[in-house]
């Protein structure tokens, strides 16, 4: 039977454990000097050796013929641990449902002496997940621990542990494992297992696993299943779901040259290939960080190929713009956590980045036009361009706002609860278009909001994120298309930002209670084409082209 690499190479002695020198040394000394504590708290990021060290410690304290601090692996206790039959070492996963029961049981049985070894060792993993009741039960035992008991509590989130528990434990903070240490261990495993791998690929695994040894070994494991040939950087990127630095450089070149639709095509391709878009955004941030370093001291890097890539990016935008781009991308990672539509968030952030770089394009154009660029003049033209753009923006924005008011009012004027409930149930039917590349983005956008009211043909959606609400209201043409395709009905949707919705709702409920009809239905006097200032030809050519939604946004936003 195949044994996962991380199980097979799970450390068996302190020496095997990668990193954590201080912790290993402290524990070793306390064992040698017979100063073992009754309660330990191991904190730190995942995959840094907390459970491994806990298990080794449990083995050491019970081994009958310990050699310095190395367990003999021959005595009853050691053999039983190795065969997973040892009843003196009890592992509890606090994240599982029976955490409370297990802690209660622990409290009842804590008085019993160990069956073979000197100690009963309780290893409680993810201890921060315990309920208050379970913590209280645990605290009772920690207050007066019997001599033969050792608790090892492990957690990634120490701030969630009650101070009453913290104060009774000897605490060890596990650090992330360095890329160098991870590389050394991976090289060792590859040698043992005859795995053929590029040095660069090992380096990349080390970086991607972000200080987690277990993750790095799991990734290596997946890679050996993925290819039987020599593992390359490309393979690592494919399995991890991200892209190479060369690909990032190409993507950035498109973005910084304002090639919006090509950029979107590429993102769609990554999405279809099953890449992890959040990871790609993170990788871009890392790439831009390197570019900044290159900006300031190019000698920092010794890889000529990488240097070429960073230098290419440096030529495209200014240092200040790199900082701003990183900010936009960091924001998008934050937003991506509140929605399942990372693609849309990614696309929106690219629009923002392109807006940012346009300023430089204007400056460059002027530089080309005049032999001696006058700084003041440059500034003036940049400002003028901005003002001109702002005016078109404001007008469209005003129009959208007007329409929004009308549609909110009309939804409430004709509001019918029964109708709303019935329609809400069938709203999910739009998911049938999710797989259709022409509609998928728009459908996801609709699904990100919540339908809160329906009155006649009018639909009102509420959004938790302002940018999604704006995106919805600037894409009404395509959104209406989705509804008419699925429900065969001309519906009039509108999106409202959550904070705006609250007072509207309160007001509406007040009128409902007093049974006064305060809302009068008004016909819409302006068409969507007029609102977005699209000419007839444009609106026809726009049909079904999702990327156009975003191009529209650049003009109007
Ligand atoms: Zn032993």
């Amino acid at each position: 039977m195949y044994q996962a690499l991380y199980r097979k190479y799970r450390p068996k002695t302190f020496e095997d454990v990668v990193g954590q020198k201080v912790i290993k040394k402290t524990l070793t000394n306390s064992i040698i000097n017979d100063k073992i504590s009754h309660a330990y708290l191991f904190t730190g990021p995942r995959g840094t050796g907390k459970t491994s060290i806990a298990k080794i410690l449990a083995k050491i304290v019970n081994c009958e013929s310990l050699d310095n601090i190395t367990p003999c692996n021959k005595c009853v206790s050691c053999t039983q641990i190795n065969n997973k039959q040892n009843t003196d070492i009890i592992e509890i996963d606090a994240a599982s449902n029976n955490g409370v029961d297990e802690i209660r049981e622990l409290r009842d049985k804590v008085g019993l002496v160990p069956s073979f070894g000197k100690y009963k060792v309780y290893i409680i993993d993810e201890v921060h997940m315990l309920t208050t009741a379970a913590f209280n039960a645990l605290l009772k035992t920690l207050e007066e621990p019997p001599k033969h008991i050792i608790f090892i509590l492990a957690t990634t989130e120490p701030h969630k542990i009650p101070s009453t528990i913290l104060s009774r434990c000897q605490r060890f903070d596990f650090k992330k494992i360095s890329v160098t240490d991870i590389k050394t261990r991976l090289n060792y495993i590859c040698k043992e297992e005859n795995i053929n791998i590029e040095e660069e690929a090992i380096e990349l695994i080390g970086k991607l696993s972000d200080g987690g040894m277990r993750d790095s070994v799991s990734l290596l494991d997946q890679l050996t299943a993925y290819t039987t040939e020599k593992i390359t950087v490309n393979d690592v990127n494919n399995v991890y779901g991200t892209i190479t630095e060369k690909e990032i450089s190409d993507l950035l070149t498109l973005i910084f040259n304002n090639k919006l639709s090509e950029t979107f095509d590429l993102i769609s391709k990554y999405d279809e290939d099953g890449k992890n878009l959040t990871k790609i955004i993170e990788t871009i941030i890392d790439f831009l960080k390197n570019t900044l370093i290159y900006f300031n001291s190019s000698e920092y890097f010794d890889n000529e190929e990488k240097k070429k890539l960073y230098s290419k990016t440096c030529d495209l935008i200014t240092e200040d713009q790199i900082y701003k781009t990183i900010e936009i991308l960091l924001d998008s990672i934050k937003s991506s956590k509140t929605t399942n539509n990372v693609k849309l968030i990614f696309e929106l952030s690219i629009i923002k980045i392109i807006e940012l770089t346009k300023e430089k394009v204007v400056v460059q154009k002027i530089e080309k036009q005049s032999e001696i660029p006058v700084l003041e003049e440059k500034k003036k033209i940049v400002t003028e361009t901005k003002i001109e753009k702002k005016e078109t923006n404001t007008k469209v924005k005003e129009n959208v706002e007007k329409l929004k008011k009308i549609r909110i009012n009309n939804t409430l004027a004709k509001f019918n609860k029964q109708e709303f409930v019935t329609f809400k149930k069938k709203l999910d039917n739009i998911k049938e278009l999710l797989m259709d590349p022409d509609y998928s983005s728009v459908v996801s956008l609709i699904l990100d909001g919540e339908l809160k009211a329906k009155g006649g043909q009018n639909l009102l959606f509420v959004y938790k994120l302002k940018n999604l609400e704006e995106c919805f209201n600037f894409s009404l043409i395509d959104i209406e298309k989705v509804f008419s395709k699925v429900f065969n009905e001309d519906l009039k949707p509108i999106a409202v930002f959550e904070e705006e919705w609250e007072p509207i709702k309160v007001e509406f409920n007040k009128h409902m209670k007093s049974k006064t009809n305060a809302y009068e239905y008004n016909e819409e006097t302006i068409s969507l084409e007029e609102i977005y200032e699209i000419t007839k030809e444009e609106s026809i050519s726009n049909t079904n082209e999702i990327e156009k939604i975003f191009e529209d946004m650049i003009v109007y936003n």
Side-chain angles (χ1 to χ4, degrees):
M1 202 185 85
Y2 179 74
Q3 197 186 10
L5 286 180
Y6 90 89
R7 274 184 205 284
K8 192 168 171 187
Y9 288 90
R10 178 155 234 165
K12 292 181 183 69
T13 63
F14 281 165
E15 245 172 46
D16 287 348
V17 177
V18 179
Q20 318 304 356
K21 285 205 183 84
V22 178
I23 294 173
K24 289 189 289 189
K25 195 171 172 205
T26 316
L27 286 174
T28 303
N29 284 337
S30 67
I31 295 160
I32 293 171
N33 299 321
D34 209 12
K35 294 234 164 72
I36 294 164
S37 161
H38 285 285
Y40 292 98
L41 178 69
F42 290 176
T43 75
R46 48 183 260 124
T48 48
K50 299 185 294 295
T51 327
S52 295
I53 287 194
K55 283 182 179 169
I56 297 166
L57 182 62
K59 205 168 171 184
I60 291 174
V61 296
N62 277 336
C63 178
E64 286 157 29
S65 47
L66 198 65
D67 173 19
N68 191 14
I69 53 141
T70 309
C72 71
N73 278 318
K74 281 178 196 143
C75 69
V76 184
S77 170
C78 281
T79 347
Q80 283 190 342
I81 292 174
N82 291 346
N83 297 331
K84 297 193 167 61
Q85 291 163 335
N86 194 305
T87 46
D88 292 336
I89 294 169
I90 301 106
E91 286 182 57
I92 298 173
D93 179 9
S96 76
N97 287 329
N98 39 17
V100 182
D101 292 339
E102 284 182 272
I103 298 283
R104 279 214 190 98
E105 203 187 314
L106 175 159
R107 223 178 93 190
D108 298 337
K109 288 189 180 167
V110 91
L112 304 176
V113 290
S115 12
F116 293 99
K118 252 206 258 175
Y119 296 100
K120 255 185 148 54
V121 185
Y122 289 91
I123 300 172
I124 309 178
D125 214 358
E126 301 294 342
V127 68
H128 64 273
M129 299 285 281
L130 290 182
T131 58
T132 315
F135 268 128
N136 285 337
L138 181 62
L139 188 60
K140 287 265 173 344
T141 330
L142 283 179
E143 275 168 347
E144 273 175 72
K147 278 205 173 76
H148 60 271
I149 296 279
I150 297 175
F151 284 103
I152 306 174
L153 316 178
T155 180
T156 46
E157 298 179 60
H159 54 277
K160 289 188 181 159
I161 315 256
S163 56
T164 43
I165 303 265
L166 283 178
S167 63
R168 288 179 168 79
C169 296
Q170 192 175 339
R171 175 169 169 168
F172 289 94
D173 289 318
F174 285 61
K175 303 276 179 297
K176 281 187 180 180
I177 298 161
S178 73
V179 178
T180 320
D181 283 346
I182 292 181
K183 269 163 59 185
T184 312
R185 182 71 177 168
L186 291 180
N187 270 317
Y188 168 77
I189 296 176
C190 287
K191 215 174 138 205
E192 291 289 306
E193 296 287 317
N194 280 322
I195 297 169
N196 199 1
I197 183 167
E198 276 179 0
E199 190 53 37
E200 291 249 303
I202 290 204
E203 167 103 34
L204 183 60
I205 298 176
K207 266 195 189 165
L208 292 174
S209 39
D210 192 29
M213 194 62 231
R214 192 175 52 223
D215 286 350
S216 76
V217 181
S218 295
L219 185 53
L220 180 66
D221 214 353
Q222 288 175 46
L223 282 158
T224 56
Y226 177 76
T227 175
T228 48
E229 284 159 39
K230 188 171 193 172
I231 299 169
T232 64
V233 170
N234 246 335
D235 297 331
V236 179
N237 282 315
N238 281 335
V239 169
Y240 193 73
T242 182
I243 52 179
T244 61
E245 290 213 309
K246 168 80 177 63
E247 285 172 298
I248 287 178
S249 163
D250 292 345
L251 179 66
L252 288 174
T253 309
L254 285 179
I255 297 174
F256 296 143
N257 281 314
N258 298 337
K259 304 266 191 243
L260 187 74
S261 86
E262 278 110 314
T263 308
F264 281 3
D265 285 347
L266 199 54
I267 293 176
S268 295
K269 192 183 159 286
Y270 291 148
D271 196 31
E272 281 155 24
D273 289 349
K275 301 269 184 199
N276 181 326
L277 295 182
T278 313
K279 278 180 190 164
I280 292 183
I281 301 175
E282 283 169 5
T283 325
I284 298 177
I285 295 174
D286 196 52
F287 182 93
L288 288 170
K289 183 201 78 192
N290 285 342
T291 309
L292 278 176
I293 297 174
Y294 181 84
F295 242 121
N296 295 298
S297 54
S298 59
E299 67 280 2
Y300 182 87
F301 301 96
D302 46 17
N303 182 322
E304 286 307 317
E305 246 166 78
K306 283 186 181 207
K307 274 186 175 180
K308 251 185 237 163
L309 296 178
Y310 302 144
S311 136
K312 195 175 163 194
T313 311
C314 285
D315 292 342
L316 290 168
I317 50 169
T318 64
E319 194 176 353
D320 185 48
Q321 281 167 330
I322 296 184
Y323 279 113
K324 283 183 182 147
T325 305
I326 292 177
E327 253 169 54
I328 293 172
L329 292 172
L330 284 173
D331 269 350
S332 73
I333 289 184
K334 238 186 266 162
S335 311
S336 71
K337 284 177 184 148
T338 59
T339 166
N340 47 16
N341 197 341
V342 183
K343 185 165 176 256
L344 181 76
I345 299 282
F346 194 8
E347 286 167 338
L348 284 169
S349 60
I350 282 167
I351 294 167
K352 282 189 198 155
I353 295 165
I354 288 187
E355 284 290 87
L356 193 82
T357 48
K358 271 186 183 163
E359 287 173 27
K360 192 194 170 197
V361 175
V362 175
V363 176
Q364 276 175 340
K365 272 185 192 153
I366 300 157
E367 267 171 8
K368 274 179 197 155
Q369 276 163 11
S370 74
E371 294 282 318
I372 318 147
V374 185
L375 191 66
E376 277 312 301
E377 200 175 319
K378 267 204 288 192
K379 271 191 189 157
K380 198 176 137 216
I381 297 182
V382 173
T383 336
E384 275 170 6
T385 326
K386 273 188 176 168
I387 290 167
E388 201 185 310
K389 217 182 97 225
K390 216 173 176 179
E391 276 170 2
T392 18
N393 285 347
T394 322
K395 196 161 171 237
V396 179
K397 269 193 175 166
E398 272 172 15
N399 281 335
V400 170
E401 277 307 309
K402 264 187 217 155
L403 180 78
K404 190 169 149 184
K405 278 209 181 96
I406 297 175
R407 288 199 171 177
I408 293 174
N409 177 74
N410 287 353
T411 316
L412 301 178
K414 290 196 175 181
F415 180 79
N416 178 312
K417 195 169 178 186
Q418 194 49 50
E419 220 179 86
F420 163 67
V421 174
T422 320
F423 185 82
K424 194 163 177 163
K425 276 184 197 149
K426 51 178 199 180
L427 181 65
D428 266 0
N429 290 355
I430 63 169
K431 284 185 183 166
E432 70 190 43
L433 292 181
L434 259 182
M435 301 311 282
D436 186 331
D438 288 339
Y439 295 99
S440 61
S441 292
V442 175
V443 172
S444 315
L445 174 62
I446 300 171
L447 292 171
D448 269 332
E450 196 186 342
L451 181 69
K452 289 282 192 185
K454 181 178 190 293
Q457 295 165 290
N458 283 280
L459 301 174
L460 189 150
F461 289 84
V462 172
Y463 280 82
K464 286 201 170 86
L465 292 176
K466 184 75 185 157
N467 58 359
L468 290 183
E469 181 247 357
E470 280 172 7
C471 187
F472 187 106
N473 289 340
F474 282 100
S475 317
L476 289 176
I477 293 183
D478 293 83
I479 286 170
E480 289 187 4
K481 245 178 244 162
V482 167
F483 286 127
S484 104
K485 207 170 154 66
V486 176
F487 300 110
N488 216 358
E489 203 181 336
D490 286 330
L491 293 164
K492 296 182 190 303
I494 200 76
V496 184
F497 179 44
E498 197 176 38
E499 279 172 27
E500 288 174 277
W501 170 240
E502 276 309 308
I504 300 175
K505 188 180 78 185
V506 172
E507 181 75 20
F508 179 69
N509 284 337
K510 221 162 59 191
H511 288 299
M512 289 291 272
K513 267 184 202 143
S514 62
K515 296 204 167 116
T516 50
N517 195 352
Y519 305 87
E520 201 176 304
Y521 187 86
N522 297 308
E523 283 302 331
E524 287 176 19
T525 47
I526 173 166
S527 77
L528 291 182
E529 281 77 16
E530 283 170 295
I531 287 175
Y532 301 134
E533 295 177 340
I534 303 173
T535 62
K536 267 274 176 306
E537 299 85 76
E538 260 182 305
S539 92
I540 290 162
S541 72
N542 274 0
T543 311
N544 293 349
E545 278 186 54
I546 292 310
E547 57 262 48
K548 289 286 190 243
I549 306 168
F550 297 103
E551 278 180 3
D552 289 347
M553 282 190 59
I554 291 171
V555 181
Y556 307 131
N557 199 2

